[in-house]
Amino acid sequence: MILIFVASLNENMKLAKSLQEQLKNENLNSEIINLVELNLPMYDTLKEQNDGIPTKINELSEKMDKAEGFLFISPEYNFSLPPVLVNTIAWLSRIGDDFRSLFALKKIQLATHSGSGGQDALNAMRTQFTRLNAIVLPREILTTYTKALNVESSQRIISQFANIVKG
């Protein structure tokens, strides 16, 4: 199972659905996780102390633990990552004794649809997930309003991702 995390709606969700079809063609089951619809409270240590870990985060961590790999699709917000993605990772890092455990040695494919260039978002995700001990694939999928998805290229990238995930 591949979990597809989408950090915004509209164009990034369209990209997620397109890439989900490509995963299906590679005989990989996947599930789209819409981070916006999780509607998580902003992470704060006092909120965690008073209210505990949100149920949705515990459920998500169980799915992540069982997943073979992740596909993160995020727009670029002000040359970095959107708050919904950063917040979700903050909550996930509070599960268990090792803040890296849900990401350790998981294979991650990165993608973006951004109104601007998108490369800063991809670089920010690569840095964060690498430091969380994940295996981030070298090629990325990048689309903008002026640069449509190159289906042939994305199929090659998704095929390589599938081969690595399947081991």
Side-chain angles (χ1 to χ4, degrees):
M1 172 67 74
I2 303 299
L3 296 180
I4 302 171
F5 295 90
V6 184
S8 78
L9 306 176
N10 302 327
E11 297 302 318
N12 281 280
M13 187 56 74
K14 289 178 191 174
L15 179 58
K17 290 177 181 177
S18 177
L19 297 178
Q20 184 177 42
E21 278 301 311
Q22 291 179 18
L23 287 168
K24 186 177 178 181
N25 293 338
E26 295 292 332
N27 297 315
L28 280 174
N29 293 325
S30 63
E31 178 183 349
I32 292 177
I33 308 290
N34 182 333
L35 299 181
V36 175
E37 288 182 355
L38 287 179
N39 200 28
L40 296 171
M42 289 300 293
Y43 179 78
D44 178 88
T45 54
L46 291 176
K47 181 162 255 334
E48 181 184 359
Q49 287 173 5
N50 294 334
D51 302 332
I53 304 287
T55 303
K56 291 177 184 177
I57 286 295
N58 286 317
E59 293 168 357
L60 182 57
S61 71
E62 289 175 19
K63 287 182 182 183
M64 290 176 71
D65 192 47
K66 296 174 186 171
E68 298 168 271
F70 308 138
L71 172 53
F72 278 89
I73 303 172
S74 175
E76 184 172 299
Y77 279 25
N78 301 314
F79 309 101
S80 192
L81 301 176
V84 69
L85 177 56
V86 174
N87 188 53
T88 302
I89 294 169
W91 277 112
L92 288 167
S93 73
R94 302 301 299 154
I95 301 290
D97 295 331
D98 179 3
F99 73 97
R100 291 182 175 104
S101 64
L102 290 173
F103 295 94
L105 301 179
K106 291 286 186 171
K107 284 81 173 186
I108 295 180
Q109 179 64 59
L110 303 177
T112 184
H113 176 88
S114 294
S116 60
Q119 194 61 54
D120 288 322
L122 293 168
N123 291 340
M125 284 191 288
R126 179 174 302 286
T127 297
Q128 186 160 34
F129 293 131
T130 299
R131 300 247 171 132
L132 288 171
N133 205 25
I135 299 168
V136 183
L137 276 71
R139 295 191 64 201
E140 303 153 336
I141 298 167
L142 188 152
T143 66
T144 67
Y145 290 108
T146 59
K147 182 184 174 202
L149 179 65
N150 180 327
V151 176
E152 186 178 308
S153 177
S154 68
Q155 286 174 336
R156 279 194 307 272
I157 292 169
I158 291 298
S159 178
Q160 291 167 356
F161 175 57
N163 287 335
I164 289 169
V165 167
K166 292 175 187 176

